[in-house]
Amino acid sequence: MAVAGAVVLGVAAGGWVYWKLNDNITGVDINSALGDNRPAKPAITPSPGAEAASAPLPSQAMNILVLGSDSRSGAENQRLGGGDTSGARSDTAMVFHLDAGGESGTVVSIPRDTLVTRPSCPLPDGGETEERHGVMFNTAYSVGGPVCAVKTVESFTGVRMDHYLEIDFAGFAALIDAVGGVTVTVDQDIEDEQSHLSLEAGTHLLDGEQALGLARTRYSLPGGSDLARIELQQRLVKALLTQIADTSLLTDPAKLYDVATTVTGSLTTDTGLDSLGELVGLGESLRALSPDAVETLTLPVVRAPSDPNRVVADEPEAGELWESLR
């Protein structure tokens, strides 16, 4: 919605706003970097009502790898992240699967502590990373950025990622503030110095900074489990989808411009989504999707035999889940 409004503002301002926001988005050519040695794309099938719709509904299923980066680049990310550590990791990873027709979807969270085989990944300088076995999933982003994150996901899931979206701390907080906050219920008191969050058990309307804190909360949860944190993140996803469906930014152009500037400046995408027009096209694909039609799941995992603080995919359940998304 924010991006669509930005397009309207861009036209009204003679194209300058459109150009500025368009230039904010960082694009990575993942398709060229990975080549043809990837899982196959799903077959295209006609979608019901596509001919009658003002914009065609997606005729095939789509999978998008969505990463939340803990980059500390920039003053606002440093403030929200609580430090000035260099580099970045994939703090949150979700595969968003949109069914053909665009009326239902599935979000699968991948625990960052999952041990996987990280394949050899191409680097921008022409070199390659080494293949490594039994390493944490989130190391893929650390050593090879978006390209390696996508290749690693495709390698252990067998599912092709059609697109890639990454947002940092500042962008996530701005998005939450843009829609007026999100309403989330927590089952226990949260006092987490690491995520700078203090909440009593109950239902709360969270602003952007509080929502980011909730998404990062871990150590105040039972056992400090990443799985418990993922449950909170999935509640946030549902709450955000619900709030977006009930909110219109188009009535406040000044606010819309401020939000669009922040959010687009915090986005990294594949080159299939690195323009406002392409992002608006993605938004059109989601127009028929209601929050109640989105199922949130976590990759089935068990404790890793080699390390009690890590997990591995629980087979055959994990394989069956990925098969359902192909």
Side-chain angles (χ1 to χ4, degrees):
M1 184 172 294
V3 170
V7 172
V8 175
L9 285 177
V11 173
W16 182 85
V17 171
Y18 184 100
W19 174 85
K20 184 178 187 300
L21 296 177
N22 203 65
D23 195 54
N24 278 348
I25 304 168
T26 301
V28 178
D29 194 350
I30 291 174
N31 287 335
S32 294
L34 295 184
D36 297 327
N37 187 22
R38 305 175 64 186
K41 292 183 178 181
I44 297 177
T45 56
S47 59
E51 294 182 359
S54 57
L57 295 173
S59 58
Q60 65 186 82
M62 181 190 305
N63 292 298
I64 305 172
L65 177 60
V66 181
L67 293 187
S69 165
D70 69 351
S71 169
R72 265 68 167 183
S73 63
E76 185 65 2
N77 277 326
Q78 288 182 17
R79 184 184 72 81
L80 293 171
D84 56 2
T85 305
S86 61
R89 298 164 298 179
S90 52
D91 202 49
T92 301
M94 297 179 177
V95 173
F96 172 55
H97 174 84
L98 181 66
D99 293 324
E103 295 183 350
S104 59
T106 305
V107 175
V108 181
S109 296
I110 303 174
R112 66 179 189 175
D113 295 340
T114 305
L115 298 182
V116 300
T117 294
R118 189 182 68 221
S120 174
C121 299
L123 296 173
D125 62 5
E128 291 190 351
T129 66
E130 293 184 0
E131 180 179 90
R132 295 288 301 276
H133 300 278
V135 297
M136 286 175 56
F137 163 71
N138 71 341
T139 63
Y141 183 91
S142 300
V143 303
V147 170
C148 198
V150 170
K151 186 171 184 179
T152 300
V153 170
E154 292 186 342
S155 177
F156 78 79
T157 66
V159 179
R160 186 184 182 99
M161 296 296 110
D162 300 290
H163 291 296
Y164 171 86
L165 277 172
E166 174 192 330
I167 192 166
D168 61 20
F169 289 155
F172 179 79
L175 178 59
I176 297 297
D177 285 334
V179 299
V182 289
T183 301
V184 178
T185 299
V186 295
D187 302 326
Q188 63 183 66
D189 295 346
I190 294 178
E191 292 289 342
D192 195 318
E193 294 182 359
Q194 297 289 330
S195 64
H196 311 289
L197 182 66
S198 176
L199 278 182
E200 294 182 354
T203 300
H204 303 271
L205 176 62
L206 306 181
D207 63 20
E209 190 165 347
Q210 291 173 314
L212 176 63
L214 187 64
R216 300 181 62 221
T217 290
R218 175 175 183 174
Y219 295 103
S220 66
L221 303 178
S225 168
D226 192 39
L227 297 179
R229 175 169 60 180
I230 283 175
E231 182 181 345
L232 291 178
Q233 291 173 347
Q234 291 176 343
R235 292 186 191 184
L236 276 172
V237 168
K238 284 280 193 176
L240 179 58
L241 288 173
T242 299
Q243 189 69 7
I244 287 175
D246 296 338
T247 303
S248 176
L249 293 174
L250 301 182
T251 57
D252 190 344
K255 180 179 180 182
L256 175 60
Y257 173 74
D258 289 340
V259 171
T261 300
T262 301
V263 173
T264 54
S266 302
L267 276 182
T268 300
T269 75
D270 65 283
T271 49
L273 291 177
D274 64 350
S275 73
L276 285 178
E278 289 162 334
L279 285 172
V280 169
L282 175 61
E284 283 293 313
S285 298
L286 303 177
R287 74 188 188 282
L289 185 66
S290 72
D292 292 338
V294 177
E295 183 178 12
T296 54
L297 303 170
T298 301
L299 173 68
V301 293
V302 294
R303 194 180 301 274
S306 60
D307 187 342
N309 295 316
R310 303 288 179 258
V311 296
V312 294
D314 187 10
E315 299 294 354
E317 288 81 1
E320 292 169 353
L321 172 60
W322 297 127
E323 177 65 30
S324 70
L325 303 187
R326 294 190 182 110

